[in-house]
């Protein structure tokens, strides 16, 4: 069975504080977050921007989170004010939020994995089987 896998990576800048955290992360501070998305499929699809089945998923669609917060993304926001209830502003929960929102825009059958880093040497990944 054929299988395609695409990967894209981008950054966005945002502020946050971790609720009830005993330490500096409990205070408002900022990061340049790096996000890596992997999408895997056994068939190719059309997209909002390309009408014929030629891609796993559109990179443009996958990178929604890098847009300015006023345009529906996460760039230059306070994550504590933007993330919906139930999501904390930890890297783990940011990865889950980006996964959940991205998954809703993709065709059925695409497997998705999202990794988020708030520093060069620390990553959190989220995927759902």
């Amino acid at each position: 069975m054929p299988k395609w896998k695409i990967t894209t990576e981008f950054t966005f800048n945002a502020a946050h504080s971790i609720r009830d955290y005993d330490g500096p992360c409990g205070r408002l501070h900022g990061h340049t977050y790096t996000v890596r998305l992997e999408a895997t499929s056994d068939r190719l699809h059309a997209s909002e921007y390309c009408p014929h089945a030629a891609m796993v998923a559109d990179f443009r669609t996958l990178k929604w989170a890098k847009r300015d917060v006023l345009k529906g993304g996460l760039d230059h926001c306070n994550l504590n004010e933007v993330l919906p209830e139930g999501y904390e502003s930890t890297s783990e929960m940011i990865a889950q939020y980006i996964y959940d929102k991205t998954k809703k825009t993709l065709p059925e059958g695409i497997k998705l994995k999202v990794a988020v880093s708030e520093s060069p040497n620390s990553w959190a990944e989220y995927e759902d089987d």
Side-chain angles (χ1 to χ4, degrees):
M1 173 180 282
K3 183 165 136 180
W4 290 269
K5 178 178 178 179
I6 62 171
T7 304
T8 190
E9 189 172 292
F10 59 88
T11 62
F12 69 90
N13 295 292
H16 79 129
S17 60
I18 299 175
R19 184 171 43 102
D20 300 326
Y21 190 88
D22 183 16
C25 293
R27 296 190 301 268
L28 186 64
H29 62 286
H31 297 284
T32 297
Y33 289 91
T34 301
V35 178
R36 182 180 305 126
L37 287 100
E38 294 179 3
T40 307
S41 180
D42 61 3
R43 61 192 161 107
L44 299 179
H45 304 89
S47 80
E48 177 182 353
Y49 307 103
C50 180
H52 53 277
M55 58 189 72
V56 171
D58 199 310
F59 287 120
R60 190 170 164 189
T61 302
L62 293 175
K63 294 180 182 184
W64 68 267
K66 77 180 255 174
R67 292 193 305 250
D68 184 84
V69 67
L70 298 177
K71 295 180 180 177
L74 297 176
D75 192 45
H76 283 82
C77 75
N78 179 341
L79 291 166
N80 301 86
E81 296 173 355
V82 172
L83 295 177
E85 188 174 330
Y87 294 94
E88 294 290 335
S89 63
T90 62
S91 293
E92 295 88 344
M93 298 286 301
I94 296 166
Q96 182 181 354
Y97 173 69
I98 292 172
Y99 174 97
D100 290 345
K101 189 167 177 180
T102 304
K103 190 74 171 171
K104 291 177 186 175
T105 68
L106 298 177
E108 188 75 26
I110 295 178
K111 183 173 166 66
L112 184 65
K113 183 185 341 183
V114 176
V116 171
S117 171
E118 62 181 41
S119 67
N121 300 313
S122 303
W123 288 85
E125 287 188 359
Y126 185 83
E127 61 185 315
D128 191 0
D129 296 329

